Amino acid sequence: MLQILTILISVFLLGACSTMPSGPSVLVLPGIGKNFDQFHNDDLACRQLSHAQITTSRQQPDSKEDAQQDYDISYIQCMYGKGHRIPVPDELMYNSRQEEWFPPPPDMPAPPQAAGPEPSLNSLPAKAAKARK
């Protein structure tokens, strides 16, 4: 009975550990002007880099989902840095339209004007020279 209990506990503990991702779960497209061979080589390099960053990290991921997210972030950064395209979901796109500003109504008074222009630093010596004469 003790042997069965030991086996069950070890199976449970191994199942509780987070597993390493086998690859990215995000879509990356070849960059403009990049051929398939360049894309494939960059993909392999970024997969290796992402895997190395997760396995050598000081803080182990809490779950399989956290490990996959960390892997994907590293992979996306690497591929984007190499000039490839990363599709962005519509929810993350910002509205590029600027808000429209309408002019004030025609009967609105103009803002008050200052009494005169403030003297600049360059005009002060000229006024002082005139005052000496």
Side-chain angles (χ1 to χ4, degrees):
M1 182 69 176
L2 184 60
Q3 190 177 20
I4 294 173
L5 185 61
T6 306
I7 292 172
L8 288 175
I9 289 174
S10 61
V11 168
F12 175 73
L13 289 175
L14 286 175
C17 294
S18 63
T19 59
M20 289 299 154
S22 61
S25 65
V26 293
L27 175 66
V28 177
L29 301 171
I32 297 172
K34 301 266 186 174
N35 63 33
F36 182 74
D37 289 334
Q38 291 170 319
F39 177 76
H40 181 67
N41 291 335
D42 290 344
D43 176 64
L44 289 176
C46 290
R47 285 174 185 246
Q48 290 174 349
L49 175 72
S50 299
H51 189 267
Q53 284 184 342
I54 288 178
T55 56
T56 60
S57 174
R58 293 183 187 192
Q59 181 181 4
Q60 291 296 321
D62 294 332
S63 66
K64 183 179 179 181
E65 290 81 19
D66 289 342
Q68 185 68 53
Q69 184 179 12
D70 293 346
Y71 183 96
D72 288 344
I73 289 170
S74 176
Y75 178 77
I76 287 171
Q77 289 173 343
C78 179
M79 291 297 281
Y80 185 78
K82 291 184 179 289
H84 299 288
R85 296 178 292 165
I86 313 297
V88 180
D90 287 341
E91 304 93 51
L92 298 178
M93 296 294 289
Y94 296 107
N95 189 357
S96 60
R97 272 191 47 199
Q98 302 240 345
E99 291 184 29
E100 295 183 30
W101 295 94
F102 297 102
D107 57 342
M108 187 170 206
Q113 295 294 323
E118 292 185 25
S120 67
L121 294 177
N122 294 338
S123 65
L124 291 177
K127 288 182 179 179
K130 286 182 182 179
R132 284 189 219 151
K133 291 183 180 180

